[in-house]
């Protein structure tokens, strides 16, 4: 199944007999809360989901956005009307990172039919709504394990035995700057693969052939053992989604650099080379 959906396809499905559940996951790192933007205008019928409160656990040793407790995540999804037998489409303001985090979590916990609106809200040609829906509670019951997940030790091992991609900006990978975490640099052995290079200027994903070519140049080809991390497991989910479009399954190191760098015992590499 294609993990993304175009605005025209979404409009057609929403007008059909089995419309998808719509989740609005607008969020920006260090930016204003997404709820006011949602209330000012959203896709008709969409329910707001808070990334910090519902798509992540409390920040701490596991990173800035550790995975949420599955039971708490399931309760949040049921409140939003998510059902196991109904498709789900998630979107954000256009960057795609937050929507990809919701996509990854739903897929990881076993939902079979989840897609991201390609280009986000900015791609939607229709009118927006200010009506806040009250959906009928869903029945989704999370069963973790639907997608591959790495912990810190697994990420370290994969950087040696397979391919570990760092989805952050290249300057953070090199350690030139580090605006958020304790120290700059990258997991030794990881290769730089900024998430921003997966999309065009309008936020839409590059065509599948272009993504396959990009990832193949990094060594990420079908059959390879591939993992991804970022700062806190958000933009990394977007890279996993891009790899899925390219036909390359990849694991997510959810704790990412915010977990790795918080432990002084873990090694840090700097500069443009993996080591």
């Amino acid at each position: 199944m294609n993990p993304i959906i175009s605005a025209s396809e979404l409009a057609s499905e929403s007008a059909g007999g089995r419309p998808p559940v719509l989740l609005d996951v607008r969020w920006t790192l260090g930016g204003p809360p997404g709820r006011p933007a949602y209330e000012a205008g959203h896709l008709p019928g969409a329910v707001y989901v808070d990334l910090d409160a519902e798509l992540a656990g409390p920040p701490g040793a596991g990173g800035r956005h550790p995975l949420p407790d599955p039971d708490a995540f399931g309760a949040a999804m049921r409140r939003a009307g998510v059902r196991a037998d109904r498709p789900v489409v998630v979107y954000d303001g256009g960057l795609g990172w937050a929507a990809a985090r919701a996509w990854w979590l739903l897929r990881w916990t076993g939902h079979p039919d989840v897609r991201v609106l390609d280009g986000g809200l900015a791609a939607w040609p229709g009118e927006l709504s200010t009506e806040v829906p009250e959906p009928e509670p869903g029945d989704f019951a999370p069963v973790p394990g639907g997608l591959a997940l790495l912990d810190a030790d697994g990420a370290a091992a994969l950087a040696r035995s397979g391919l570990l991609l760092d989805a952050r900006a290249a300057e953070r990978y090199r350690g030139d700057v580090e605006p958020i975490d304790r120290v700059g640099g990258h997991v030794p052995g990881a290769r730089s693969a900024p998430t921003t290079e997966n999309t065009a200027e309008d936020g839409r994903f590059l065509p599948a052939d272009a993504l396959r070519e990009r990832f193949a140049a990094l060594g990420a080809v079908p059959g390879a053992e591939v993992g991804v991390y970022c700062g806190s497991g958000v933009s990394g989910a977007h890279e996993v989604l891009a790899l899925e479009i390219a036909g390359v399954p990849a694991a997510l190191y959810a704790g990412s650099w915010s977990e790795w760098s918080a432990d002084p015992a873990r090694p840090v590499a700097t500069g443009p080379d993996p080591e």
Side-chain angles (χ1 to χ4, degrees):
M1 184 184 70
N2 191 345
I4 58 176
I5 183 172
S6 69
S8 60
E9 290 170 332
L10 177 58
S12 177
E13 290 191 18
S14 295
R18 190 168 174 257
V21 174
L22 298 177
L23 303 181
D24 184 310
V25 199
R26 273 179 276 182
W27 170 91
T28 53
L29 179 63
R35 181 84 196 196
Y38 165 81
E39 292 177 348
H42 51 264
L43 267 61
V47 177
Y48 179 69
V49 174
D50 188 308
L51 186 147
D52 290 317
E54 297 174 306
L55 302 183
R64 288 193 308 279
H65 292 105
L67 297 184
D69 173 80
D71 290 339
F73 173 68
M77 293 299 98
R78 290 190 293 274
R79 286 194 300 271
V82 174
R83 303 185 59 83
D85 62 352
R86 188 175 169 191
V88 178
V89 172
V90 293
Y91 71 91
D92 56 26
L95 189 61
W97 295 4
R101 171 75 173 211
W103 168 84
W104 189 91
L105 279 168
L106 281 163
R107 288 286 310 280
W108 176 64
T109 52
H111 198 290
D113 192 347
V114 190
R115 288 164 292 171
V116 168
L117 174 59
D118 196 18
L121 185 68
W124 182 251
E127 294 185 359
L128 301 180
S129 172
T130 57
E131 180 181 352
V132 177
E134 296 183 6
E136 180 180 344
D139 64 359
F140 178 63
V143 180
L147 292 179
L149 175 66
L150 295 170
D151 60 11
D153 289 342
L158 184 58
R160 302 300 182 191
S161 65
L163 178 65
L164 182 65
L165 299 178
D166 185 317
R168 298 172 301 155
E171 60 267 25
R172 291 184 68 192
Y173 170 87
R174 295 191 301 266
D176 298 346
V177 298
E178 182 44 63
I180 305 171
D181 293 312
R182 184 185 67 85
V183 65
H186 56 269
V187 176
R191 297 195 63 180
S192 179
T195 293
T196 52
E197 296 180 16
N198 296 326
T199 56
E201 290 184 3
D202 62 3
R204 290 180 172 89
F205 282 96
L206 299 177
D209 286 346
L211 289 172
R212 276 192 286 272
E213 182 177 349
R214 185 212 175 190
F215 289 124
L218 292 165
V221 296
E225 191 177 6
V226 182
V228 179
Y229 74 95
C230 58
S232 64
V234 178
S235 66
H238 188 275
E239 186 122 301
V240 172
L241 176 57
L243 283 156
E244 180 101 347
I245 296 169
V248 181
L252 177 67
Y253 170 27
S256 287
W257 189 248
S258 60
E259 178 188 40
W260 182 279
S261 64
D263 183 352
R266 293 202 175 275
V268 171
T270 55
D273 298 324
E275 298 301 330

